[in-house]
Amino acid sequence: MLTDYFSKIDLAWLSTPGDKDEGAYRSRALVPLVSQVKIRRNLAEFPFPGKCDNSQLYDVAAVVLSRIGGSDTWQKCDSRMLDNLDDVSKNLLLEKRLISPSFMQGGAGRFIVRDCDGTISCMINEVDHLSIAVSLGGLELHESYRVASALNEALALKYAKDTVLGYLTADPGSVGTGMQASVLLHLPGLDYTGGIKRASLALDRDWPRVALYKLAQHSGEPAGSFYLASNKVTLAISPVEIVSMLQGASELLTSRELLARREMKDDRDETMIDRFWRSWGTLRHARLLSLEEAINALSFVKLGSELGYLPPLPDDEWKHMFITSQPYHLNAEARCIVDESEELSLRATLFRRFIENRSST
C-alpha cells in the first residue's frame, strides 16, 4: 500500500514540550496536551468557496500557493492537491485532525499545506479560502497565535473585511477575528471524581465565553477523558483577548485536575486502584480492541501511572498510542487495507506490545 509521506509526518505536539521532565512542570505539561490557533480568511476579490465555480477555486489556490512559495516564513512547508492523495493518506490527515471531514471529500482547487515539523497546516478552499492552523504541545497559546499571525501576515493578501464586523467568513460564527483558539486537555482525575461538572460551572462563571466539551472520535463517540476548550465568540473581541481568556480557562482546568489527582493519590481508594489494574489488564491481554475501549483504557492507565499505582508510561509513547490506534493509522502500520475484525486484532496487538514493553522495564 503506497501512502504519501506528506500524510505521515508526525505531529509536533506528540513530543512533550520543554526541556524539563521532572516534578510539577512535567505534571502540569501533561494536562494541556496541545494548543491550537486557527485563522480563517477569504480573499476580497473572489466569492466565498461555496459560490465559486471551479475556475475561480483554482485561481484562489494559485494566488495563495504563489504567495506561500515566495515567502521565507512558509519555507518549510509543502503542499498537495487533495484529489491527488490516495484514500489512506487523506484519512491519515483526517485522523490527525489536519483536515475536516467535508474538506476530505476533495474537489476543485482544494489543497492542503503543512510543514515538515508537524506544527503548521493550512486548508485552501475549505468553507473559507484559507484556514491556517498552528498546533504546539502543552499550553502554548501565545506562541501558537504569534506563529499563525506571522504566517497570515507573510501572505500579504487583501481579505474580505467589513469596517464594523471585521473579517468576513462563510460561517457567521467566525465573523470578526475569524480566529478559533483551542486547547486539548487530559482530565481523567476530574472525570473519575465527578469534578468535571463543578469545573464546568466554574468555567461558566469565570470564563463564560469559553466552551468545554468532550472530544469525540471520528466515529462520533467520545472516548477517554480528553476535553477541548475553545472560544465561543469571535465578534467584538480581539485575538489577544481570545488567547488570554482561553489561557486563563485552561489554567483553571489544569489546577483543578492536578488537585483531583492529588486527592485521589491521598485517598488510596481500592475501587480506583482495581480499575487502574483492570484497564492495564485490558491493554495487556485483550485480543480484540475497539478504538473507544482502547482509548478509554489508555486514558485511565495513564492516570494510574501518573499517580504511581502503575508502571511508568513514557509521555511521548503514550501520546503516540492515542494517535496510532486509529483505524487508518493501523492500516498504514500494516501496509494494507484491513477489515474490521483485523483492525480490532491489530489494535490489540499494538497495545499488548506497548504494555509488555512497560512491564519489562
Side-chain angles (χ1 to χ4, degrees):
M1 179 184 67
L2 295 177
T3 305
D4 196 306
Y5 84 92
F6 181 83
S7 63
K8 292 182 174 181
I9 298 171
D10 268 346
L11 299 166
W13 64 267
L14 294 178
S15 297
T16 303
D19 297 322
K20 303 175 184 178
D21 59 3
E22 299 294 339
Y25 176 88
R26 178 185 167 280
S27 297
R28 183 168 289 274
L30 286 172
V31 177
L33 298 178
V34 55
S35 301
Q36 183 184 86
V37 169
K38 182 179 290 184
I39 295 175
R40 295 186 176 276
R41 295 289 186 266
N42 287 285
L43 277 60
E45 62 267 34
F46 293 94
F48 288 174
K51 297 293 185 181
C52 282
D53 58 32
N54 288 354
S55 176
Q56 289 172 313
L57 290 171
Y58 282 114
D59 286 344
V60 168
V63 169
V64 174
L65 290 172
S66 174
R67 295 297 179 93
I68 287 174
S71 168
D72 290 341
T73 309
W74 290 79
Q75 63 180 348
K76 292 184 178 180
C77 294
D78 195 6
S79 66
R80 293 288 188 278
M81 181 187 292
L82 203 67
D83 285 349
N84 288 344
L85 292 175
D86 60 89
D87 286 343
V88 173
S89 295
K90 287 189 282 188
N91 275 284
L92 286 173
L93 293 171
L94 181 66
E95 289 181 348
K96 293 176 191 289
R97 299 180 187 270
L98 296 176
I99 62 175
S100 65
S102 62
F103 188 76
M104 192 186 74
Q105 301 308 311
R110 284 192 162 182
F111 286 79
I112 172 73
V113 181
R114 63 179 308 204
D115 67 340
C116 59
D117 298 328
T119 298
I120 301 164
S121 64
C122 173
M123 288 182 285
I124 300 174
N125 287 323
E126 189 206 15
V127 293
D128 296 298
H129 293 143
L130 269 177
S131 177
I132 302 169
V134 173
S135 304
L136 296 173
L139 191 53
E140 294 288 348
L141 283 166
H142 290 284
E143 180 63 11
S144 296
Y145 170 64
R146 185 194 68 77
V147 175
S149 181
L151 291 166
N152 179 42
E153 290 175 5
L155 298 178
L157 291 165
K158 184 178 180 182
Y159 294 128
K161 191 175 184 181
D162 182 84
T163 54
V164 176
L165 296 176
Y167 291 104
L168 302 177
T169 57
D171 179 3
S174 298
V175 169
T177 61
M179 189 178 101
Q180 193 75 36
S182 62
V183 180
L184 177 64
L185 303 112
H186 187 222
L187 306 176
L190 290 176
D191 250 358
Y192 181 80
T193 61
I196 193 66
K197 292 182 179 179
R198 294 188 295 275
S200 295
L201 290 173
L203 201 66
D204 289 341
R205 181 194 64 224
D206 297 340
W207 306 99
R209 295 188 291 182
V210 172
L212 180 69
Y213 56 92
K214 203 163 191 177
L215 187 70
Q217 299 300 318
H218 289 302
S219 64
E221 295 296 322
S225 298
F226 299 96
Y227 287 82
L228 202 65
S230 62
N231 55 300
K232 293 179 182 177
V233 296
T234 58
L235 191 62
I237 188 171
S238 71
V240 172
E241 288 174 310
I242 290 174
V243 168
S244 294
M245 73 180 187
L246 199 58
Q247 179 86 16
S250 299
E251 288 174 353
L252 182 150
L253 291 166
T254 297
S255 62
R256 285 179 174 258
E257 169 65 18
L258 294 178
L259 177 60
R261 293 185 189 186
R262 285 196 294 271
E263 291 174 347
M264 291 174 73
K265 188 170 185 177
D266 292 341
D267 286 346
R268 299 190 63 83
D269 178 68
E270 286 299 321
T271 301
M272 174 191 70
I273 297 171
D274 178 69
R275 184 175 168 187
F276 286 145
W277 283 106
R278 284 177 182 271
S279 298
W280 180 275
T282 295
L283 299 183
R284 174 65 180 82
H285 296 292
R287 262 46 187 175
L288 299 174
L289 268 180
S290 70
L291 178 59
E292 289 74 18
E293 186 179 17
I295 295 300
N296 282 329
L298 181 66
S299 180
F300 209 64
V301 160
K302 183 57 176 174
L303 176 60
S305 174
E306 289 297 297
L307 297 183
Y309 293 114
L310 298 178
L313 295 181
D315 304 326
D316 293 358
E317 291 183 31
W318 170 75
K319 288 187 285 187
H320 271 280
M321 293 297 291
F322 173 59
I323 297 296
T324 57
S325 58
Q326 297 177 99
Y328 280 90
H329 279 76
L330 291 176
N331 287 340
E333 185 80 12
R335 298 185 179 181
C336 65
I337 302 297
V338 299
D339 61 28
E340 184 177 354
S341 62
E342 290 175 311
E343 177 195 314
L344 298 177
S345 177
L346 276 172
R347 185 177 294 109
T349 300
L350 183 72
F351 276 97
R352 284 203 309 276
R353 289 172 180 166
F354 175 63
I355 296 298
E356 283 169 5
N357 289 338
R358 308 284 72 78
S359 301
S360 60
T361 55

